[in-house]
Amino acid sequence: MSIITLTTDFGYDDWYVGAMKGVILSINLKVTLVDITHNCPSGDIMSGAFIIKNSDYFPQNTIHIIVVDPGVGSSRIPLIAKLSNNQIYVLPDNGLLTLLLQKHSLVEAFAIENHKFMLNSISNTFHGRDIFAPAAAYASTGINISEFGRPINDLVQLSIQPIEKIENSISGTIVYIDKFGNLISNIHNSFINKKILLARLKNYTINQVGYKFCDVGRNESVVIFSSDGYIEIAVNLGSAKNIYNVEVGEKMIIEFDN
Amino acid sequence: MSIITLTTDFGYDDWYVGAMKGVILSINLKVTLVDITHNCPSGDIMSGAFIIKNSDYFPQNTIHIIVVDPGVGSSRIPLIAKLSNNQIYVLPDNGLLTLLLQKHSLVEAFAIENHKFMLNSISNTFHGRDIFAPAAAYASTGINISEFGRPINDLVQLSIQPIEKIENSISGTIVYIDKFGNLISNIHNSFINKKILLARLKNYTINQVGYKFCDVGRNESVVIFSSDGYIEIAVNLGSAKNIYNVEVGEKMIIEFDN
Amino acid sequence: MSIITLTTDFGYDDWYVGAMKGVILSINLKVTLVDITHNCPSGDIMSGAFIIKNSDYFPQNTIHIIVVDPGVGSSRIPLIAKLSNNQIYVLPDNGLLTLLLQKHSLVEAFAIENHKFMLNSISNTFHGRDIFAPAAAYASTGINISEFGRPINDLVQLSIQPIEKIENSISGTIVYIDKFGNLISNIHNSFINKKILLARLKNYTINQVGYKFCDVGRNESVVIFSSDGYIEIAVNLGSAKNIYNVEVGEKMIIEFDN
């Protein structure tokens, strides 16, 4: 019983994800399908990369389909890749693996070009259904991923906002905002070895530092580590996104105790 | 292992779909449940018909529950139907099969009226849980669909916007708008045997014709075939719905090269 | 093959629910996962209680995870409980079982404190992934729920809006508003033994009483019993929430025929 997960920007309103699942189940009925999300912002590859970074919680040999594919139908390469976490990723080679490749190394990757493992008719606008879904389904039946096409050694990678250490502070970027409006930065706890004093965001100073949301009062802000190990700014029972009117890409500075 | 898919207008916020799945699993635990969408616009039978038209991607003998049922509790007939694609449809007889019946013929259909295959207590407002879910679950256990009730020969069908050929053009209608804001018409590629020159929509002219979204620049419009074979108007990395402020029902004209 | 359902306020946009499912499948691959909803309003325990009240439609021994947990990381107790409907509930002890406990008695409940049944590393902000998901998964493998920790006898319960009988009427409260905008009250049909004449809501009088939505004309209001047995105010093919501009907590009065 293989697991195939699906992460897309197709939304929940249409038949697109259903068609992908129909294709998969037509090839391999003995598969457990898991939706990660289909609400990745349309065409936002970095958000897709952030979401799929958490795929480590799945068992080894899980196959992950990720379709955030603004270049569908162009020359970008459909890819099947194995990382050192022993999981398989089926996705366009457009940078979606950027953040996972900071944690795990690439074991091997192949272009999906063998028509045996695609639908008979390939549209120009829906490779999720015509190429990625069947590739994942065939891989789940035990087809070795080297059968799909030629090896690809250099994957496309997105440029990443750097974090900077300046004297007694670290400067980073808000890279993801979740459903609760929590502002998640790219500053990982592995960069932090001193007591955090406060965070600066736009013209605001957040000087309550805590461990959990309810360490502060209702509608108060707290600097906290996300469940993923990154510094985030949260508002207890409220939305930091709304209170600070912040979008992804905003700078954030963390200052330490002397 | 049978597959049962669910398509409804119940949304993702409440317990309604969960209750249907609980009912199904109480009757047959060995079933693979697949959500197509639960965001069909409330009571919009034509959108439901459009969504379920893509059920062909599922394996034969898949059972599809479709509950877009503004007449729930009235005299409209709960139906179980088999089409020539060898798939089973469980749904109110209110026109939801209209578009599928353009592609496939009706093999047989029966009213769901045998109380053996319903919940013990039938509400007036939630036949999805009380009638359609148990009918699909019993069908998945191998009950012949003729056991459910009397045969129904004439299904309710919705009237369909016609497409018109006028000299060197075809006039059609926008019949579906997807999550990306793509405007999907009822003009199928089987009606087109000449080079498309442009599309007219309201007072706008779209004169870029392409094969894929990224054939045009960011925020530019393109006339394209949808993954389903219908003419659609899309905006690369943007929303045609928002740019042209269009709703379902809007007329569209395609003009051909001379 | 065990069933595990998930009800949360994590939404459909992020990776949180996916991570929970990955954790579950890493512990027990032979499990059927069912999403009830992840759109419970953030931190709204009463809505969570209302949604999970419908878990009776699942087979016995189903395990339900409910994570609406504004106090995550605080001293509130992670709980695994069995009710007299022979179903298992895995959730924070914050009142989420309040409404279920009106229908079913508590058989036994235990704190989840045995680290054998948690992830190795426990965050302060995501016990859904670190505590509740693994607890449910281990319970689904046959671990007796008494193994999880010390018995808990008194569960936290929310205070409930009372209903009042006054002469020829009953006064209650709107306790849930669904996707269609139906206003569901806390007045159950077991309290009603006379013919309903009308409902009063704010300054409005709704004097059409029916059995199904389409008993009244389009956009007309009807007093009706919900599929769950509670008095609700609905608008045929429209939204009572929008028409009456009502939020949860609004009073409603039902008057009977003399």
Side-chain angles (χ1 to χ4, degrees):
Chain A
M1 196 75 160
S2 298
I3 301 169
I4 296 178
T5 81
L6 298 100
T7 302
T8 76
D9 61 356
F10 293 158
Y12 288 88
D13 295 359
D14 306 310
W15 63 87
Y16 300 131
V17 175
M20 289 176 67
K21 292 182 179 175
V23 166
I24 292 169
L25 293 168
S26 296
I27 293 166
N28 186 4
L29 191 49
K30 294 181 181 225
V31 84
T32 296
L33 295 170
V34 178
D35 298 296
I36 305 298
T37 179
H38 302 292
N39 275 345
C40 184
S42 299
D44 181 345
I45 297 169
M46 186 50 101
S47 286
F50 204 88
I51 289 164
I52 198 62
K53 182 163 62 72
N54 288 272
S55 52
D56 286 341
Y57 287 97
F58 281 85
Q60 294 196 0
N61 299 314
T62 295
I63 298 166
H64 303 281
I65 303 175
I66 309 105
V67 188
V68 181
D69 192 13
V72 59
S74 72
S75 62
R76 67 90 189 88
I77 299 170
L79 205 71
I80 186 162
K82 183 175 185 172
L83 300 196
S84 57
N85 60 357
N86 274 318
Q87 306 207 18
I88 307 291
Y89 297 87
V90 179
L91 71 191
D93 181 24
N94 61 12
L96 282 166
L97 288 177
T98 300
L99 299 178
L100 267 170
L101 286 169
Q102 296 184 318
K103 296 199 286 180
H104 306 293
S105 59
L106 181 65
V107 175
E108 49 181 2
F110 300 90
I112 302 170
E113 49 194 8
N114 187 336
H115 280 266
K116 256 197 320 192
F117 305 128
M118 300 179 187
L119 290 200
N120 289 330
S121 165
I122 309 291
S123 72
N124 290 301
T125 55
F126 193 6
H127 288 184
R129 177 192 65 194
D130 305 336
I131 295 179
F132 297 114
Y138 281 111
S140 76
T141 65
I143 304 285
N144 194 295
I145 69 170
S146 64
E147 307 257 327
F148 284 84
R150 69 186 191 283
I152 304 290
N153 296 314
D154 292 314
L155 304 192
V156 171
Q157 297 223 28
L158 302 176
S159 67
I160 291 187
Q161 301 287 354
I163 71 169
E164 283 183 85
K165 299 204 178 196
I166 312 160
E167 295 176 12
N168 209 30
S169 67
I170 292 184
S171 163
T173 304
I174 302 300
V175 290
Y176 193 89
I177 301 177
D178 73 8
K179 177 256 188 180
F180 296 96
N182 297 325
L183 311 173
I184 305 176
S185 78
N186 60 349
I187 306 175
H188 194 259
N189 58 20
S190 57
F191 292 104
I192 293 179
N193 49 20
K194 291 206 279 188
K195 189 163 176 290
I196 297 171
L197 190 66
L198 55 79
R200 295 191 193 280
L201 182 75
K202 294 168 112 176
N203 291 326
Y204 300 100
T205 302
I206 296 100
N207 50 26
Q208 295 191 95
V209 181
Y211 295 97
K212 50 191 187 295
F213 303 125
C214 56
D215 277 341
V216 298
R218 172 182 283 264
N219 284 325
E220 289 180 21
S221 300
V222 61
V223 182
I224 202 172
F225 283 107
S226 76
S227 56
D228 208 29
Y230 291 88
I231 291 276
E232 77 178 34
I233 293 174
V235 168
N236 185 25
L237 299 169
S239 162
K241 175 186 165 64
N242 292 347
I243 285 181
Y244 297 108
N245 195 21
V246 164
E247 299 294 330
V248 163
E250 189 72 41
K251 288 281 159 209
M252 189 180 74
I253 292 171
I254 298 295
E255 293 187 14
F256 299 106
D257 218 353
N258 273 310
Chain B
M1 196 74 160
S2 297
I3 301 169
I4 296 179
T5 81
L6 298 100
T7 303
T8 76
D9 61 356
F10 294 157
Y12 288 88
D13 295 358
D14 306 310
W15 62 87
Y16 300 131
V17 175
M20 289 176 68
K21 292 182 180 175
V23 166
I24 292 169
L25 292 168
S26 296
I27 293 166
N28 185 4
L29 191 49
K30 294 181 180 224
V31 84
T32 296
L33 294 170
V34 178
D35 298 297
I36 304 298
T37 179
H38 302 292
N39 275 346
C40 183
S42 299
D44 181 345
I45 298 169
M46 186 50 101
S47 286
F50 205 88
I51 289 164
I52 198 61
K53 181 163 62 73
N54 287 271
S55 52
D56 286 341
Y57 287 97
F58 281 85
Q60 294 197 0
N61 299 314
T62 295
I63 299 166
H64 303 281
I65 303 176
I66 309 104
V67 188
V68 181
D69 192 13
V72 59
S74 72
S75 62
R76 66 91 188 87
I77 299 170
L79 205 71
I80 186 162
K82 183 175 185 173
L83 300 196
S84 57
N85 60 356
N86 275 318
Q87 305 207 18
I88 308 291
Y89 297 87
V90 179
L91 71 191
D93 181 24
N94 61 11
L96 281 167
L97 287 177
T98 300
L99 299 178
L100 267 169
L101 286 169
Q102 296 184 318
K103 296 199 286 181
H104 307 294
S105 59
L106 181 65
V107 175
E108 49 181 3
F110 301 90
I112 302 170
E113 50 194 8
N114 187 336
H115 279 266
K116 256 197 320 191
F117 305 128
M118 300 179 188
L119 290 200
N120 289 331
S121 164
I122 309 291
S123 71
N124 290 301
T125 54
F126 193 6
H127 288 184
R129 177 192 65 194
D130 305 336
I131 295 178
F132 297 114
Y138 281 111
S140 76
T141 65
I143 303 285
N144 194 295
I145 69 170
S146 63
E147 307 256 328
F148 284 84
R150 70 186 191 283
I152 304 290
N153 296 313
D154 292 313
L155 304 192
V156 171
Q157 297 223 28
L158 302 176
S159 67
I160 292 187
Q161 301 287 354
I163 70 170
E164 283 182 85
K165 299 205 179 195
I166 312 159
E167 295 176 12
N168 209 30
S169 67
I170 292 184
S171 162
T173 304
I174 302 300
V175 291
Y176 193 90
I177 301 177
D178 74 8
K179 176 256 188 179
F180 296 96
N182 297 325
L183 310 174
I184 305 177
S185 77
N186 60 349
I187 306 175
H188 194 258
N189 57 20
S190 56
F191 292 104
I192 293 179
N193 49 20
K194 291 206 279 188
K195 189 163 176 290
I196 297 171
L197 190 66
L198 55 80
R200 294 192 192 280
L201 182 75
K202 294 167 112 175
N203 291 325
Y204 299 100
T205 302
I206 296 101
N207 50 25
Q208 295 192 93
V209 181
Y211 295 98
K212 50 191 187 295
F213 303 124
C214 57
D215 277 341
V216 297
R218 172 182 284 264
N219 284 325
E220 289 180 21
S221 300
V222 61
V223 182
I224 202 172
F225 283 107
S226 76
S227 56
D228 208 29
Y230 291 88
I231 291 276
E232 77 178 34
I233 293 173
V235 168
N236 186 26
L237 300 169
S239 162
K241 175 186 165 64
N242 291 347
I243 285 181
Y244 297 108
N245 195 21
V246 165
E247 300 294 330
V248 164
E250 188 73 41
K251 288 281 159 209
M252 189 180 73
I253 292 171
I254 298 295
E255 292 187 14
F256 299 105
D257 218 352
N258 274 310
Chain C
M1 196 74 160
S2 297
I3 301 169
I4 296 178
T5 81
L6 297 101
T7 303
T8 76
D9 61 356
F10 294 157
Y12 287 88
D13 295 359
D14 306 309
W15 63 87
Y16 300 131
V17 175
M20 289 176 67
K21 292 182 179 175
V23 167
I24 292 169
L25 292 168
S26 296
I27 293 166
N28 185 4
L29 191 49
K30 294 182 181 223
V31 84
T32 296
L33 295 170
V34 178
D35 298 297
I36 304 299
T37 179
H38 302 292
N39 275 345
C40 183
S42 299
D44 181 345
I45 298 169
M46 187 50 101
S47 286
F50 205 88
I51 289 163
I52 198 62
K53 182 163 61 73
N54 288 272
S55 53
D56 286 341
Y57 287 96
F58 281 85
Q60 294 197 0
N61 299 314
T62 295
I63 299 166
H64 303 280
I65 303 175
I66 309 104
V67 188
V68 181
D69 192 12
V72 59
S74 72
S75 62
R76 67 90 189 88
I77 300 170
L79 205 71
I80 186 162
K82 183 175 185 172
L83 300 196
S84 57
N85 60 356
N86 275 318
Q87 305 208 19
I88 307 291
Y89 297 87
V90 179
L91 71 191
D93 181 24
N94 61 11
L96 281 167
L97 287 178
T98 300
L99 299 178
L100 267 169
L101 286 169
Q102 296 185 318
K103 296 199 288 181
H104 307 294
S105 58
L106 180 66
V107 175
E108 49 181 3
F110 301 90
I112 302 170
E113 50 194 7
N114 186 336
H115 280 265
K116 257 198 319 192
F117 305 129
M118 300 179 187
L119 290 200
N120 289 331
S121 165
I122 309 291
S123 72
N124 290 301
T125 54
F126 193 6
H127 288 184
R129 177 192 64 194
D130 305 337
I131 294 179
F132 298 114
Y138 282 111
S140 77
T141 65
I143 304 285
N144 194 295
I145 69 170
S146 63
E147 307 257 327
F148 284 84
R150 70 186 192 283
I152 304 290
N153 296 314
D154 292 314
L155 304 192
V156 171
Q157 297 223 28
L158 302 176
S159 67
I160 292 187
Q161 301 286 354
I163 70 169
E164 283 183 85
K165 298 204 178 196
I166 312 160
E167 295 176 12
N168 209 30
S169 67
I170 292 184
S171 162
T173 304
I174 302 300
V175 290
Y176 193 89
I177 302 177
D178 73 8
K179 176 256 188 179
F180 296 96
N182 297 325
L183 310 174
I184 305 177
S185 78
N186 59 349
I187 306 175
H188 194 258
N189 58 20
S190 56
F191 292 105
I192 293 180
N193 49 20
K194 292 206 279 189
K195 189 162 176 290
I196 297 171
L197 190 66
L198 55 79
R200 295 191 192 281
L201 182 74
K202 294 167 111 176
N203 291 325
Y204 300 100
T205 302
I206 296 101
N207 51 25
Q208 295 192 93
V209 181
Y211 295 97
K212 50 192 187 294
F213 303 124
C214 57
D215 276 341
V216 297
R218 172 182 284 264
N219 283 326
E220 289 180 21
S221 299
V222 61
V223 182
I224 202 172
F225 282 107
S226 76
S227 56
D228 208 28
Y230 291 88
I231 291 275
E232 77 178 34
I233 293 174
V235 167
N236 185 25
L237 300 169
S239 162
K241 175 186 166 63
N242 291 346
I243 285 180
Y244 297 108
N245 195 22
V246 164
E247 299 294 330
V248 164
E250 189 72 41
K251 288 281 160 210
M252 189 180 74
I253 292 171
I254 298 294
E255 293 187 13
F256 299 105
D257 218 353
N258 273 310

